[in-house]
Amino acid sequence: MNPVLTRFSVMSPVRLPIISMRFIYLEVNMALVRKSNAICRRVMKTLQPLSSAVAPSGPESSQAQAQCGDRQAYGWVSSRSLHGFKRPNLHVIRNQLARFEGGSVDLEKNSDNGIAILTLNNPRRMNSMTGKMMVDMADKVSELEEWHEGKALIMRGADGNLCTGGDLTFVRKALHYGEEMAAYQHDTLTRLLNLPLISVALVQGHTLGGGAELSTACDFRVMSSSAKIGFVQIKMGLSTAWGAATRLTRLLGRRKAIDLLCSAKILLPDAALREGLVDYILPRGSEDELEETTQWLLRNLCAYDTNITRVVKSLVVSAELSMDHYQALDAERKLFGQTWGGPVQRKMLEANVKHK
């Protein structure tokens, strides 16, 4: 039985009214906070990020080092995982990705309202992702995992575009590295989605290809009235790289996922709202769309206690997680690896085709 309730239940009915109701409230509230923190710790322990996995030592290490070919060079070794799959050594992949420089991913945490802002910052290339930006994002997600005062996160792009996928300079140099890059992004974006923070993608400007994929790694999507969003990877001779096929199917169902992924249609706000891809369209003419998104969050999803909000989010994550999710990501990564660097993608690169 709850010790706080027991404490008061044994008191006589005569004495109870004399007790300060403020004292009772504080005692019960503190008990709830302690309980919420304990639940968060237990839930998050089960969601330990795959990036904490390290290359095995002892006999397993010798066996891994004996492997030959590209897989060994790019760090594919047997490491710990939640469901026993062979996972890549993300530390090795991280070091490789960090060599592809350009742009940054920045984080601001507001302890007053509990909302963090994650900004993709490569505006000269419409915030397309480089290897360094992928490493930056992984680091910022790790930082958010340790931010216990937060209740929400907004992901946005600098200068009015969320993201247009992979930076073409990076893509051309990394055609040999598709599965590894996908595995790294799967880890980062799964951890982002599973944060005990309510997450919102601010869809602005061009949110295409990988940018649309990034938006599905948030709980909600708020869209600018002038933005457009689309999963256009198939035009580039690719399947989804960063987990969107798995997340989109769970979000919208099989039929809509196939439609959006195979048609490569680019959606304007009203159509995206009808499809269920976005949750709210910002008013036309909004002067500060980031502030509008923050207020939408505070009004609708962040009006209550931070600890309880974190617990609720963590419980939903715990309920949703299953082996099927990781199997689906594993299959998605392998299928993407067959298209990355393939003849269709190379042809599109030679033609300098980019999202329009």
Side-chain angles (χ1 to χ4, degrees):
M1 182 178 292
N2 188 311
V4 175
L5 297 180
T6 303
R7 176 177 177 179
F8 293 116
S9 64
V10 296
M11 296 181 179
S12 68
V14 177
R15 292 182 61 194
L16 185 58
I18 301 174
I19 299 174
S20 165
M21 293 306 295
R22 177 177 174 82
F23 175 76
I24 296 176
Y25 171 79
L26 290 173
E27 286 280 4
V28 173
N29 190 53
M30 288 304 296
L32 283 172
V33 169
R34 286 192 296 271
K35 187 174 183 63
S36 73
N37 287 338
I39 293 173
C40 270
R41 284 193 297 271
R42 288 199 300 271
V43 171
M44 294 311 295
K45 187 176 180 181
T46 68
L47 306 179
Q48 190 70 24
L50 294 177
S51 61
S52 65
V54 296
S57 58
E60 290 184 5
S61 178
S62 299
Q63 182 180 2
Q65 291 173 3
Q67 293 178 348
C68 61
D70 288 344
R71 286 291 176 260
Q72 183 187 31
Y74 301 136
W76 285 83
V77 296
S78 178
S79 53
R80 287 185 305 166
S81 76
L82 203 58
H83 300 293
F85 293 124
K86 287 187 176 181
R87 308 302 301 181
N89 184 334
L90 297 177
H91 180 70
V92 174
I93 298 174
R94 171 195 175 88
N95 291 340
Q96 292 289 329
L97 289 174
R99 295 164 53 195
F100 300 101
E101 297 182 350
S104 64
V105 177
D106 308 318
L107 178 64
E108 298 177 28
K109 294 177 290 187
N110 187 327
S111 297
D112 293 333
N113 61 17
I115 297 178
I117 310 297
L118 187 72
T119 302
L120 279 63
N121 195 348
N122 192 13
R124 293 201 326 176
R125 297 180 179 271
M126 302 179 77
N127 301 318
S128 55
M129 294 284 285
T130 64
K132 175 190 176 294
M133 290 174 69
M134 294 175 191
V135 171
D136 282 355
M137 180 175 281
D139 289 345
K140 296 306 185 287
V141 171
S142 296
E143 187 176 338
L144 288 168
E145 288 172 333
E146 300 301 319
W147 188 43
H148 303 295
E149 296 79 24
K151 64 169 67 175
L153 168 70
I154 299 173
M155 180 172 66
R156 64 185 286 264
D159 290 357
N161 293 290
L162 178 55
C163 176
T164 56
D167 179 86
L168 286 184
T169 301
F170 160 67
V171 168
R172 290 189 175 98
K173 293 178 179 178
L175 290 177
H176 63 292
Y177 215 60
E179 279 197 54
E180 291 79 6
M181 179 267 289
Y184 195 83
Q185 285 290 85
H186 285 175
D187 175 76
T188 298
L189 297 178
T190 297
R191 290 192 294 124
L192 188 154
L193 184 60
N194 291 342
L195 286 168
L197 307 171
I198 296 173
S199 54
V200 176
L202 174 52
V203 178
Q204 293 176 298
H206 292 70
T207 299
L208 302 173
E213 291 203 60
L214 291 179
S215 77
T216 66
C218 292
D219 300 313
F220 298 90
R221 279 146 297 283
V222 168
M223 192 168 182
S224 167
S225 60
S226 60
K228 54 186 178 181
I229 185 170
F231 300 87
V232 296
Q233 289 86 337
I234 199 167
K235 289 183 178 180
M236 296 291 295
L238 292 171
S239 59
T240 50
W242 299 341
T246 297
R247 293 189 296 269
L248 201 60
T249 301
R250 288 172 178 259
L251 180 66
L252 300 178
R254 175 189 296 216
R255 183 179 61 81
K256 285 189 176 181
I258 292 173
D259 178 36
L260 291 177
L261 295 172
C262 290
S263 68
K265 62 176 69 170
I266 296 176
L267 303 177
L268 296 178
D270 288 341
L273 186 65
R274 285 195 303 271
E275 293 284 356
L277 182 58
V278 302
D279 303 280
Y280 179 67
I281 301 173
L282 294 169
R284 189 175 297 276
S286 297
E287 293 185 2
D288 188 337
E289 293 185 332
L290 177 58
E291 178 60 24
E292 288 274 0
T293 303
T294 300
Q295 293 304 316
W296 180 84
L297 253 177
L298 291 171
R299 285 194 309 270
N300 294 285
L301 299 164
C302 295
Y304 301 103
D305 179 83
T306 296
N307 289 288
I308 303 302
T309 301
R310 290 170 62 90
V311 166
V312 170
K313 170 65 189 289
S314 296
L315 291 175
V316 171
V317 170
S318 181
E320 184 186 46
L321 277 182
S322 69
M323 185 169 61
D324 290 341
H325 178 77
Y326 290 94
Q327 285 178 329
L329 284 177
D330 218 44
E332 187 169 342
R333 170 179 53 79
K334 290 176 180 176
L335 289 171
F336 168 72
Q338 295 175 21
T339 62
W340 181 269
V344 180
Q345 185 198 16
R346 290 177 184 274
K347 181 179 178 181
M348 296 300 105
L349 286 172
E350 290 173 4
N352 205 35
V353 173
K354 186 60 176 174
H355 316 317
K356 297 179 180 178

